Amino acid sequence: MLHAATVAVRPGQDLQAAIASAAPDDVIEVQRGHYRANLRIDKPLTLRGIDRPTISGGNLGDTIRVTATDVTIEGLIVRDSGSSLQDQNAGIYLYPGSDRAVVQHCDLTYNLFGLWVEKVNDVRIEGNTITGKRDFDSARRGNGIQLYNSQRAQILDNNISFVRDAMYVDVSHHAVFRGNKLHHSRYGTHYMTSYYNLWEGNDTYYNRGGLALMEVREQTVRGNRAWGNADHGIMLRSVQDSVVEDNVVAGNQRGFFIYDVEYVTLRRNLVVDNFVGAHLSAGVIHNVVEGNEFIGNREQVRYVGTKDVAWGGKVGNYWSNYIGWDRDGNGIGDVPYEANDMVDRLTWRYPAMKLLMASPAVQALRLVGQQFPVLRVPSVVDAHPHMHPEHTNWSSWRGKYFPG
């Protein structure tokens, strides 16, 4: 059995020729320098940068195109792809069948799409910094990582910004997304028709929308931080059979946007200082919502429906504006918390009323609405509201709003 060779390529040498002459599983070490090339890798090998060399596609096509299995690309600056959305120009394009590809510790900059991954299984994308064509408007940019019709991807510890969507995930299952920082884009993640995935420990901030999960099931969304997004922190739209737990959602226009969601568990999330803590819309049924803490949101919950939605179950949630009492001292309020009442509905219709929220007249109107059921409106009702929050550091998440 022959051992893999290591081939050094220096500035001025033909990098594509080195790839063409390499044997499968060879290591090509690219020395520090600037290389103008549109590379094609059609055999298993490792392309390793030494001291951060730059490969520029000259603003044409894909800078690196991979069509073989078991290719590793590491330690490179990969830049200057073409600008054709129709041709899906990318810094690194992993073509169908490029299974077990690894892209790690690279800088992908001024590419239309940073990484396009299409029908590739067992890919690992780790520790990369990805920025787009910042001088393009959002609609003309590509995405940071485009993952399509792939299985068992690992997307780990990447920093992605100034693209259209930091990640676009479609029809991709059994994947792990962990430790990524996604910011200054349209969506931190645009995520559709993908099942059995883990989304854990990611930061999504300063986007128009944070994490958007749409038409998915069997997701675990755990320990993430979604803050300072101009619209939602976490969107759950047409989601089933999933767990959303231990996340921080702070300083967004809407913390959670929940639409057409069933058989989902939301627990132990900290929802703090959003303009709307949770916005519920159609078809939100058969869910478990308990152990969450809603603190200092201008509106804790915005819900318009024809009947009450029960939250809390046996555990309950904490609501910073709860005004009930706890006579037996067990830490659970003796009267249910109702998120929306007649006063809330009036303030949605007439926002100027917010100037009067502390007035005795408005407080009296709220009391009248509670005493006379004919005036009551459907609401989110928590039968076991907590009297005290469990998160001791919640105040550190105040004031983290979208810049400007």
Side-chain angles (χ1 to χ4, degrees):
M1 179 177 176
L2 296 176
H3 293 286
T6 298
V7 179
V9 178
R10 294 175 175 80
Q13 295 181 323
D14 189 331
L15 183 52
Q16 184 66 65
I19 293 172
S21 62
D25 303 318
D26 279 358
V27 176
I28 298 177
E29 292 189 340
V30 185
Q31 304 298 311
R32 182 177 178 85
H34 188 278
Y35 301 80
R36 167 67 183 88
N38 296 93
L39 299 179
R40 304 296 179 260
I41 303 176
D42 59 0
K43 66 189 71 171
L45 55 76
T46 295
L47 189 66
R48 177 182 298 148
I50 304 300
D51 296 328
R52 314 298 290 174
T54 296
I55 300 177
S56 170
N59 297 307
L60 298 171
D62 305 319
T63 303
I64 300 176
R65 180 180 298 175
V66 177
T67 60
T69 61
D70 300 292
V71 170
T72 295
I73 300 171
E74 61 185 21
L76 300 171
I77 300 171
V78 181
R79 60 174 300 138
D80 305 329
S81 80
S83 302
S84 171
L85 289 169
Q86 180 177 353
D87 295 331
Q88 303 162 175
N89 294 154
I92 300 175
Y93 198 132
L94 302 180
Y95 266 64
S98 304
D99 296 344
R100 299 178 297 282
V102 176
V103 179
Q104 59 187 3
H105 311 305
C106 292
D107 289 348
L108 293 97
T109 184
Y110 208 71
N111 301 296
L112 189 66
F113 292 85
L115 269 155
W116 188 292
V117 183
E118 181 176 353
K119 298 181 182 178
V120 177
N121 296 329
D122 303 294
V123 67
R124 177 161 57 87
I125 310 298
E126 182 172 8
N128 303 287
T129 298
I130 302 173
T131 56
K133 293 183 181 283
R134 294 178 61 164
D135 54 333
F136 285 27
D137 58 53
S138 178
R140 293 173 57 216
R141 297 176 186 173
N143 303 317
I145 295 176
Q146 179 100 13
L147 185 66
Y148 172 67
N149 200 7
S150 299
Q151 305 284 329
R152 298 177 299 280
Q154 296 185 67
I155 312 297
L156 312 172
D157 300 316
N158 301 284
N159 190 326
I160 308 175
S161 59
F162 298 101
V163 289
R164 184 170 57 195
D165 298 337
M167 289 190 198
Y168 192 102
V169 180
D170 192 16
V171 200
S172 295
H173 316 310
H174 301 284
V176 175
F177 304 87
R178 180 184 290 125
N180 301 286
K181 298 184 184 300
L182 313 170
H183 53 102
H184 295 91
S185 301
R186 182 182 67 171
Y187 284 117
T189 298
H190 198 159
Y191 188 104
M192 301 180 66
T193 54
S194 299
Y195 311 138
Y196 307 104
N197 294 329
L198 172 63
W199 184 267
E200 183 175 51
N202 302 285
D203 285 274
T204 307
Y205 58 96
Y206 294 166
N207 306 289
R208 274 182 275 174
L211 170 59
L213 296 173
M214 294 183 281
E215 299 180 18
V216 302
R217 64 175 184 266
E218 300 289 351
Q219 306 292 308
T220 299
V221 181
R222 176 191 300 138
N224 304 286
R225 296 156 295 273
W227 49 275
N229 297 289
D231 189 358
H232 63 268
I234 298 178
M235 174 197 291
L236 306 175
R237 178 170 180 172
S238 300
V239 178
Q240 294 84 36
D241 303 303
S242 298
V243 175
V244 181
E245 62 184 8
D246 299 311
N247 302 286
V248 176
V249 185
N252 308 284
Q253 181 68 31
R254 297 180 288 183
F256 281 101
F257 177 48
I258 304 173
Y259 177 91
D260 186 26
V261 170
E262 57 184 358
Y263 302 106
V264 169
T265 297
L266 286 88
R267 62 188 173 210
R268 299 189 304 273
N269 299 290
L270 175 61
V271 186
V272 58
D273 200 20
N274 303 279
F275 286 85
V276 178
H279 185 175
L280 277 67
S281 194
V284 181
I285 56 175
H286 307 307
N287 302 299
V288 175
V289 184
E290 59 186 20
N292 303 285
E293 298 183 352
F294 292 82
I295 302 176
N297 304 291
R298 280 115 175 113
E299 296 176 26
Q300 299 281 50
V301 176
R302 178 173 293 180
Y303 168 66
V304 178
T306 59
K307 60 182 180 180
D308 287 346
V309 172
W311 281 8
K314 297 180 179 179
V315 176
N317 302 278
Y318 174 75
W319 307 89
S320 61
N321 62 333
Y322 177 62
I323 56 175
W325 54 87
D326 177 19
R327 286 177 295 186
D328 59 7
N330 68 350
I332 304 298
D334 294 341
V335 295
Y337 172 81
E338 295 190 10
N340 305 140
D341 59 14
M342 179 172 60
V343 172
D344 293 318
R345 295 299 182 94
L346 287 171
T347 56
W348 299 346
R349 183 170 296 182
Y350 307 107
M353 274 191 62
K354 292 180 180 180
L355 298 172
L356 305 174
M357 288 303 291
S359 71
V362 171
Q363 296 304 312
L365 184 61
R366 194 183 295 274
L367 180 61
V368 167
Q370 293 172 350
Q371 297 299 316
F372 292 91
V374 71
L375 300 177
R376 186 180 178 278
V377 294
S379 178
V380 169
V381 179
D382 189 337
H384 307 287
H386 292 197
M387 298 301 295
H388 306 287
E390 294 292 330
H391 288 89
T392 58
N393 67 335
W394 65 266
S395 62
S396 67
W397 286 100
R398 299 186 66 178
K400 294 186 179 295
Y401 307 129
F402 187 80

